[in-house]
Amino acid sequence: MRVLVTGGAGFIGSHIVDALVDAGHAVRVLDALLPAVHRTKPSVNDAAEFITGDVTDQTAVDAALDGVDAVCHQAAMVGLGVDLDDLPVYTTHNDLGTAVLLAAMARRGIGRLVLASSMVVYGEGGYRCAADGPVRPGPRQPPDLDGGRFEPPCPCCGAPLRSTPVTEDAPLDPRSVYAATKVAQEHLAAAWAAATGGTVLALRYHNVYGPRMPRDTFYAGVASIFRSALERGEPPRVFEDGGQLRDFVHVHDVARANVAALRHSSMPGRLVPVNVGSGQAHTIGEMACVLSRAFGGPVPVVTGQYRAGDVRHIVASSDRARELLGYQAAVSFTEGITTFAHAPLRR
């Protein structure tokens, strides 16, 4: 199979390129090499053809799609960003770029797409109240957060809640600009599939970490932010009380999930979302401690600060990934975080 990987020079995309090459596929990369991600051109697997171009550029996309059987769409601006001034660049690269790509695929009759989506489309994860059963708490309020009350209460009775794994049929509730653009990407891809009879697997990544994460950037994930601090000799600064539950999944597992998704014959005319995580819950504070200890750096500092748009708990249900793709994370939390402590980051 000849596969186009958009964003194939990026953190996750470059590992997908490696996995596809190892699996015997012919790979072409389209990457704009945005300065927010790449200060210099990164190395990409020599076996892959590389095209420098933006997914918002119809001419570049048409050239990249020539002779392609399937597309693995990773190109996107990621992370919460800095402030609302980032809104135009997020919607341009994520949503306009996806629209340009889908239109070009329709013209060429390319009907297989794997889309990089994200856990952020859910907002908060799953919750259960002892009295009211499964519930969906609303956004946390600044007065509560300012007072150190970080756990969302039951929206029905106000009682404490228990975190549960989030499944793919949970309502979408984006709570940041980035999250809204990922929801829009899924809707655009679903409309494309319905119109063309194409197949889409939207892989909703949870907290991906591993080698080649970008260093010292506002757009990096929390694992990279903590590693960057340690390399500067500073303690990782953990927001809230450190008790936020997340699903940390190694990038090698994410790459394997993409290879499996490209092989899978999904439902024609429909988008099928699939969580890609480890299925294991760990707190951000726990991750910071394991990382600091493995790195040999200072002990993390719990700050009590918070970021607007952050959610309290979100952990993946991996049932659909296992049943549909035969995917199960192979890299354990302790092994992955320990090796990540000394893995190379991109500057």
Side-chain angles (χ1 to χ4, degrees), residues 111 193-194 196-200 265-271:
T196 64
T199 64
V200 187
S265 296
S266 187
M267 299 180 185
R270 287 186 55 191
L271 177 144

Short mmCIF file of all heavy atoms in Angstrom, two decimals, residues 111 193-194 196-200 265-271:
data_model
loop_
_atom_site.label_atom_id
_atom_site.label_comp_id
_atom_site.label_asym_id
_atom_site.label_seq_id
_atom_site.Cartn_x
_atom_site.Cartn_y
_atom_site.Cartn_z
N GLY A 111 -10.24 6.55 -1.04
CA GLY A 111 -11.34 6.33 -0.11
C GLY A 111 -10.98 5.80 1.26
O GLY A 111 -11.86 5.37 2.01
N ALA A 193 -16.94 11.00 4.18
CA ALA A 193 -17.21 9.57 4.08
C ALA A 193 -18.63 9.31 3.58
O ALA A 193 -18.86 8.46 2.71
CB ALA A 193 -17.01 8.90 5.44
N ALA A 194 -19.59 10.06 4.12
CA ALA A 194 -20.98 9.88 3.70
C ALA A 194 -21.17 10.22 2.22
O ALA A 194 -21.95 9.56 1.52
CB ALA A 194 -21.90 10.75 4.56
N THR A 196 -18.79 10.17 -0.21
CA THR A 196 -17.95 9.41 -1.15
C THR A 196 -18.02 7.90 -0.94
O THR A 196 -17.55 7.14 -1.80
CB THR A 196 -16.48 9.83 -1.00
OG1 THR A 196 -16.01 9.48 0.32
CG2 THR A 196 -16.32 11.33 -1.23
N GLY A 197 -18.57 7.46 0.19
CA GLY A 197 -18.51 6.04 0.52
C GLY A 197 -17.16 5.63 1.08
O GLY A 197 -16.88 4.43 1.21
N GLY A 198 -16.32 6.61 1.42
CA GLY A 198 -15.02 6.32 1.96
C GLY A 198 -15.09 5.82 3.39
O GLY A 198 -16.14 5.85 4.03
N THR A 199 -13.96 5.35 3.89
CA THR A 199 -13.88 4.85 5.26
C THR A 199 -12.96 5.76 6.08
O THR A 199 -11.93 6.22 5.61
CB THR A 199 -13.33 3.42 5.32
OG1 THR A 199 -11.98 3.40 4.84
CG2 THR A 199 -14.17 2.49 4.47
N VAL A 200 -13.37 6.02 7.31
CA VAL A 200 -12.58 6.86 8.23
C VAL A 200 -12.52 6.20 9.59
O VAL A 200 -13.56 5.89 10.19
CB VAL A 200 -13.19 8.26 8.42
CG1 VAL A 200 -12.23 9.13 9.24
CG2 VAL A 200 -13.51 8.93 7.10
N SER A 265 -10.60 -2.74 7.27
CA SER A 265 -11.69 -2.36 6.37
C SER A 265 -12.86 -1.87 7.22
O SER A 265 -13.70 -2.66 7.67
CB SER A 265 -12.11 -3.56 5.51
OG SER A 265 -11.05 -3.96 4.67
N SER A 266 -12.91 -0.56 7.43
CA SER A 266 -13.95 0.01 8.27
C SER A 266 -15.25 0.10 7.51
O SER A 266 -15.35 -0.31 6.35
CB SER A 266 -13.50 1.40 8.75
OG SER A 266 -14.40 1.92 9.69
N MET A 267 -16.27 0.66 8.15
CA MET A 267 -17.59 0.75 7.54
C MET A 267 -17.62 1.83 6.46
O MET A 267 -17.41 3.01 6.76
CB MET A 267 -18.64 1.07 8.61
CG MET A 267 -18.74 0.02 9.69
SD MET A 267 -19.99 0.44 10.93
CE MET A 267 -19.74 -0.90 12.10
N PRO A 268 -17.88 1.49 5.20
CA PRO A 268 -17.94 2.50 4.14
C PRO A 268 -19.01 3.54 4.44
O PRO A 268 -20.11 3.22 4.91
CB PRO A 268 -18.29 1.68 2.89
CG PRO A 268 -17.87 0.29 3.19
CD PRO A 268 -18.08 0.12 4.67
N GLY A 269 -18.68 4.79 4.19
CA GLY A 269 -19.63 5.86 4.36
C GLY A 269 -19.78 6.36 5.78
O GLY A 269 -20.64 7.20 6.04
N ARG A 270 -18.95 5.85 6.69
CA ARG A 270 -19.08 6.24 8.10
C ARG A 270 -17.72 6.54 8.71
O ARG A 270 -16.71 5.95 8.31
CB ARG A 270 -19.74 5.13 8.91
CG ARG A 270 -21.22 4.95 8.67
CD ARG A 270 -21.78 3.94 9.64
NE ARG A 270 -21.49 4.29 11.04
CZ ARG A 270 -21.68 3.46 12.06
NH1 ARG A 270 -22.14 2.24 11.85
NH2 ARG A 270 -21.42 3.85 13.29
N LEU A 271 -17.72 7.43 9.69
CA LEU A 271 -16.55 7.65 10.53
C LEU A 271 -16.71 6.81 11.79
O LEU A 271 -17.76 6.86 12.44
CB LEU A 271 -16.39 9.13 10.89
CG LEU A 271 -15.23 9.50 11.82
CD1 LEU A 271 -14.63 10.84 11.43
CD2 LEU A 271 -15.67 9.53 13.29
#
